[in-house]
């Protein structure tokens, strides 16, 4: 079916994940994407070409795709399971390798200077961040305290994680306080926001989840380890995105987590009416007020 619009990936993987591919023959082009599911023995999925503004969904047994016999479905299920297992082993291997690199880099790095451009721009202290080459780095731990990955922040504010490294469920804690000794902790998306929140409420642990999509995995992991802990998510308020696209990811993700866990509540920055729409988090608000 993909071939009918004149574009197709070199290889199709039935692992239920989004795969991007070129639709113009150039290696750096990623304007096409597809997903193929065969877990239940009935192939189904979708493909999309942003360049041609085309999106199609399909399922075996309809959409001009012939249905499969029971034997064919079983064979596809087995193939999907094998592919999934291989992918999982490869992903685990990459994550382990990234963890080894993270430990090596962290040990060899020094304390981040207070005058690093990003810190001065955000009006925050290093809070345990280190310097490695042209970037400051922050550790990303699992709930048992194992270092798996690093977040690099460059002077222009751009951020990177180690290639192939794990991110899901990883976090860092600011405030110099251990979660095991506290009854309450704050949770934020970004590190700069965490630094500002830690300065506003000293003595309270601040958990940095690194992005909105990681809030749920982090909260789940933390509460699984410390079930008596009360968590307050200091959410990002993506006002500009809400105005332009009708979606406020920061607040929506935070509220979804709070709805799942009774021990979790949500607070949102109180932006004045005249605050620029580009401001979305506590660090933005404090920096704007201090101009």
């Amino acid at each position: 079916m993909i071939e009918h619009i004149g574009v197709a990936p070199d290889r199709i993987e039935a692992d239920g994940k989004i795969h991007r591919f070129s639709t113009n023959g150039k290696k750096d082009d990623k304007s096409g994407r597809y997903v193929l599911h065969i877990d239940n023995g009935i192939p189904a999925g979708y493909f999309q070409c942003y360049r041609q503004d085309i999106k199609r969904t399909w399922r075996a047994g309809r959409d001009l795709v012939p249905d499969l016999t029971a034997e064919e479905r079983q064979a596809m299920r087995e193939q999907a399971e094998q592919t999934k297992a291989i992918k999982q082993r490869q992903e685990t291997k990459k994550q382990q390798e990234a963890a080894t690199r993270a430990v090596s880099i962290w040990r060899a790095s020094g304390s981040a200077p207070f005058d690093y451009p990003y810190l001065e721009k955000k009006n925050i202290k290093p809070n345990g961040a280190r310097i490695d080459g042209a970037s400051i780095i922050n550790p990303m731990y699992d709930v048992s305290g194992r270092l798996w990955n690093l977040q690099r922040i460059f002077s222009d504010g751009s951020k990177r994680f180690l290639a192939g490294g794990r991110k899901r469920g990883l976090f860092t804690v600011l405030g110099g306080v251990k979660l095991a000794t506290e009854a309450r902790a704050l949770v934020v998306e970004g590190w700069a926001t965490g630094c500002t929140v830690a300065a506003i409420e000293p003595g309270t642990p601040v958990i940095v989840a690194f992005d909105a999509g990681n809030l749920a995995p982090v909260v789940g992991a933390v509460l699984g380890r410390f079930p008596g802990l009360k968590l307050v998510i200091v959410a990002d308020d993506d006002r500009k995105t809400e105005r332009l696209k009708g979606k406020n990811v920061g607040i929506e993700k935070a509220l979804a987590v709070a709805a799942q866990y009774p021990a979790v509540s949500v607070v949102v920055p109180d932006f004045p009416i005249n605050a620029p729409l580009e401001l979305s988090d506590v660090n933005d608000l404090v920096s704007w007020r201090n101009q």
Side-chain angles (χ1 to χ4, degrees):
M1 231 178 142
I2 297 180
E3 290 88 344
H4 293 168
I5 63 171
V7 295
D10 296 330
R11 178 183 177 185
I12 294 180
E13 297 189 44
D15 56 7
K17 297 181 180 180
I18 295 176
H19 295 273
R20 291 175 171 79
F21 61 96
S22 172
T23 63
N24 63 4
K26 296 181 180 180
K27 291 183 178 181
D28 59 348
D29 174 64
K30 300 295 181 182
S31 58
R33 68 177 184 176
Y34 76 87
V35 174
L36 176 59
H37 300 271
I38 59 174
D39 293 349
N40 61 357
I42 303 176
Y46 82 89
F47 62 89
Q48 187 169 10
C49 176
Y50 289 100
R51 179 170 284 104
Q52 300 184 46
D53 195 23
I54 295 173
K55 183 176 182 179
R56 299 284 188 274
T57 59
W58 60 271
R59 178 181 181 276
R62 72 176 196 196
D63 303 323
L64 302 179
V65 180
D67 204 353
L68 303 177
T69 66
E71 291 78 10
E72 289 173 327
R73 290 181 182 180
Q74 180 60 29
M76 294 198 75
R77 273 194 293 265
E78 292 175 357
Q79 179 187 355
E81 291 172 358
Q82 292 173 2
T83 300
K84 184 178 181 180
I86 292 172
K87 284 274 197 180
Q88 185 60 54
R89 287 196 297 269
Q90 293 173 339
E91 182 177 4
T92 299
K93 183 174 182 292
K94 289 180 180 179
Q95 290 179 350
Q96 296 283 3
E97 292 172 345
T100 299
R101 295 199 307 274
V103 171
S104 178
I105 294 171
W106 186 250
R107 287 176 175 173
S109 60
S111 300
F114 281 72
D115 61 351
Y116 186 80
Y118 180 77
L119 301 180
E120 291 188 327
K121 178 182 177 181
K122 292 291 187 178
N123 194 29
I124 55 177
K125 297 178 180 179
N127 281 281
R130 297 185 180 182
I131 188 83
D132 178 62
S135 66
I136 57 174
I137 54 176
N138 287 295
M140 301 173 65
Y141 299 103
D142 67 13
V143 75
S144 67
R146 180 181 177 185
L147 177 61
W148 282 90
N149 205 340
L150 299 172
Q151 184 191 56
R152 291 188 179 277
I153 304 179
F154 295 88
S155 58
D156 62 358
S158 60
K159 302 175 179 67
R160 299 286 186 275
F161 301 110
L162 297 185
R166 174 184 164 187
K167 184 183 74 172
R168 182 177 177 83
L170 302 183
F171 58 92
T172 196
V173 180
L174 306 178
V177 183
K178 294 183 178 180
L179 296 177
T181 64
E182 298 300 307
R184 174 177 172 270
L186 306 174
V187 184
V188 300
E189 286 187 34
W191 179 74
T193 302
C195 291
T196 301
V197 171
I200 294 173
E201 194 163 333
T204 300
V206 179
I207 303 169
V208 179
F210 295 102
D211 62 37
N214 205 30
L215 286 174
V218 166
V219 167
V222 170
L223 291 180
R225 184 66 176 266
F226 309 105
L229 196 62
K230 299 295 184 182
L231 299 179
V232 180
I233 299 178
V234 185
D236 281 16
D237 184 357
D238 299 313
R239 302 176 304 137
K240 185 174 182 179
T241 304
E242 185 175 26
R243 175 75 63 85
L244 297 176
K245 300 181 179 180
K247 193 171 181 64
N248 193 318
V249 175
I251 292 179
E252 290 172 11
K253 291 287 188 180
L255 291 177
V257 176
Q260 186 177 357
Y261 299 99
V264 177
S265 58
V266 177
V267 296
V268 180
D270 185 17
F271 288 104
I273 296 177
N274 63 331
L277 279 178
E278 288 75 14
L279 309 184
S280 64
D281 58 44
V282 173
N283 176 267
D284 292 339
L285 179 58
V286 172
S287 296
W288 176 69
R289 282 176 169 168
N290 291 336
Q291 286 181 343

